[in-house]
Amino acid sequence: MPDFEYDETTGLVMRFERMLAEDRQEYFDIDELEIIIDYYYASEELKKALKVADYGSEIFPASEVFPIRKAQIYIDLGRIDESRRVLKKAAQIDPDNPDVLYLHAEIHSKTGNHQLAIQYLKRLTQLYPEDTEALTFLASEYVVVSNFQQAISIYRQLIEEFPEDHFILHNLVNCYDEIGNHEEAIKLINNVIDKVPYNEVAWHNLGNMYAKSGNYEKAIWAYEYSILIDENYIAPYYDLGYTYETVGNYEKAIEIYNQALEIDIFTAHSYLCLGRCYEALNSNKKALFYYKKALEEDENNPAIHAALIKFHAQKDHNRKALLTHIERLLELEPDAESKLLAAKILFAHRLDVEAMKITIELMAQRKYDKELLLYYTRVLIGTNRFKIAIKILRYLTDVHPDDIHIRIILTAVYMLNDNNASAKIHFRKVRKLSSYTLDDLVVLFDQFLNTDDLSEWMFDVNMGL
């Protein structure tokens, strides 16, 4: 900012603060008061900015400027009801003012009324079609309500005008990804690259779309080109490394992640990726070394704890470490995905009490999967709670009517309960799905009760079909 503008702003702020200190009124025009509001806004002194806006409303009651500024400040302060109240005053003065329409949309978006937000934004973009901020906001609201086609239409319009805008491109590509149209996304990104050949973000997104469509060779080519354009752009390193992991080239992935370590200040993710690669190569000491390095860098990262849970569960069976990391994961990220991971591993390690507690929570939230419920069923069978086990297994047959694993277990449980009629019904289904005999079922059920890894048991059952 030029010196004279800075001096003018400082002078205005000092005048206003002196007026308040002396408890008197002094004249400021609308432009001057807006300058003072902007100063406080930039300084993140929102309550002071609000005082200026209040003063402006007193001396210019017919102006919509200050109710609009107050509405924005109230939104930023989280005082939505007060924002609505003053915005109503502004709308009475100038209902089609672009700021009035935009703030109405912002309030409705923040309170979850996205369809109403869309209505205000559509009105705004009809009146002011060149307002790119409003168009971007409208597209984002369409994304929230999963109307990806409308969002794509707007983002395509914007990317034509602003082919170098990384934010617009990223959101547009995400929309295509949501509807699974990776081919169209690839065409679009190539059009952007034709206009801006050295756009490293476009090349990175191109790599992502090739990877999503299973064309890993072209994905690697696009990621490498992105890195060639800007060797300090970190995102394609991680995606390139992960692509090499996906195709089983762990040595090359390790090379890429080590390159990322040289330029990225956030090294925890690189260490996590290196640990994952060394674990895949069965270099368990190196894997654990890098996982611990990752944890030293970011002890509050749930992904690192999840990796250590899987490692201790599968590699060294360190029960104390396993429980420590499960406890920490559930503290950091107590969502369904974390609970599913924790419950399955606790069941696999025969820590049934802890596992059942989490499973019951997940069942109450209707967040579970077949494998987890089979673990739970196994505990119920082992403690002679057959009725509950049968109820869960019957529910699973409704969801997975042609699932061989569920039918094998249900047949066996009915046999244990001397319910031969029901056992025969489910055994007939087993025979339709496989060539397993009744003797085979006895062996498979015994394996089910005694295996630590149900996913492995299910794999073995499938191999024998």
Side-chain angles (χ1 to χ4, degrees), residues 304-318:
I304 298 169
H305 289 282
L308 280 161
I309 289 167
K310 292 173 184 174
F311 178 86
H312 289 304
Q314 296 168 7
K315 300 294 181 179
D316 65 1
H317 304 288
N318 185 331

Side-chain angles (χ1 to χ4, degrees), residues 331-431:
E331 285 174 5
L332 292 169
E333 202 166 72
D335 61 4
E337 187 177 350
S338 297
K339 288 180 178 179
L340 278 169
L341 170 66
K344 287 178 187 177
I345 289 176
L346 288 168
F347 273 131
H349 282 256
R350 305 290 174 162
L351 296 162
D352 295 335
V353 174
E354 297 91 338
M356 287 175 72
K357 181 182 176 184
I358 298 171
T359 304
I360 291 165
E361 288 175 12
L362 288 168
M363 289 172 70
Q365 300 165 10
R366 302 189 69 81
K367 303 283 187 181
Y368 44 79
D369 62 15
K370 184 186 91 172
E371 186 181 333
L372 178 66
L373 290 183
L374 288 183
Y375 270 122
Y376 184 44
T377 302
R378 187 174 70 179
V379 174
L380 294 171
I381 294 166
T383 52
N384 297 321
R385 285 176 281 180
F386 296 112
K387 285 185 179 179
I388 303 172
I390 289 169
K391 185 177 180 181
I392 292 171
L393 288 165
R394 286 178 65 86
Y395 163 76
L396 284 172
T397 59
D398 290 339
V399 180
H400 308 282
D402 293 324
D403 188 287
I404 185 72
H405 316 104
I406 301 164
R407 296 288 179 176
I408 288 170
I409 299 163
L410 198 46
T411 302
V413 174
Y414 277 126
M415 288 171 65
L416 283 173
N417 277 270
D418 296 323
N419 188 338
N420 293 325
S422 295
K424 284 179 182 177
I425 291 170
H426 292 285
F427 181 60
R428 281 199 293 269
K429 188 69 175 180
V430 171
R431 293 292 292 168

Side-chain angles (χ1 to χ4, degrees), residues 255-357:
E255 179 187 325
I256 300 301
Y257 291 137
N258 276 315
Q259 289 174 16
L261 270 174
E262 293 175 10
I263 62 170
D264 189 10
I265 58 171
F266 302 106
T267 53
H269 188 65
S270 295
Y271 289 137
L272 174 61
C273 295
L274 285 165
R276 197 169 59 222
C277 289
Y278 281 115
E279 184 177 352
L281 291 168
N282 290 316
S283 297
N284 295 330
K285 284 186 179 179
K286 281 189 176 181
L288 188 57
F289 169 79
Y290 281 110
Y291 285 146
K292 287 182 175 179
K293 288 277 286 182
L295 199 61
E296 287 170 13
E297 291 283 323
D298 187 1
E299 65 179 2
N300 294 321
N301 187 328
I304 298 169
H305 289 282
L308 280 161
I309 289 167
K310 292 173 184 174
F311 178 86
H312 289 304
Q314 296 168 7
K315 300 294 181 179
D316 65 1
H317 304 288
N318 185 331
R319 181 171 286 203
K320 183 179 178 182
L322 183 66
L323 291 173
T324 298
H325 291 296
I326 286 175
E327 183 180 354
R328 191 73 183 112
L329 175 65
L330 295 178
E331 285 174 5
L332 292 169
E333 202 166 72
D335 61 4
E337 187 177 350
S338 297
K339 288 180 178 179
L340 278 169
L341 170 66
K344 287 178 187 177
I345 289 176
L346 288 168
F347 273 131
H349 282 256
R350 305 290 174 162
L351 296 162
D352 295 335
V353 174
E354 297 91 338
M356 287 175 72
K357 181 182 176 184

Side-chain angles (χ1 to χ4, degrees), residues 155-173 176 184-206 229:
Y155 283 134
R156 285 193 73 116
Q157 174 187 336
L158 290 168
I159 204 69
E160 283 292 323
E161 190 174 351
F162 306 104
E164 295 186 27
D165 192 304
H166 298 159
F167 176 80
I168 293 169
L169 177 64
H170 180 73
N171 287 337
L172 178 52
V173 170
Y176 278 120
E184 194 62 33
I186 289 167
K187 287 180 189 175
L188 175 112
I189 299 167
N190 277 317
N191 287 337
V192 171
I193 289 171
D194 286 341
K195 295 174 184 176
V196 192
Y198 299 107
N199 184 333
E200 71 279 10
V201 175
W203 281 99
H204 175 218
N205 275 281
L206 184 61
I229 294 167

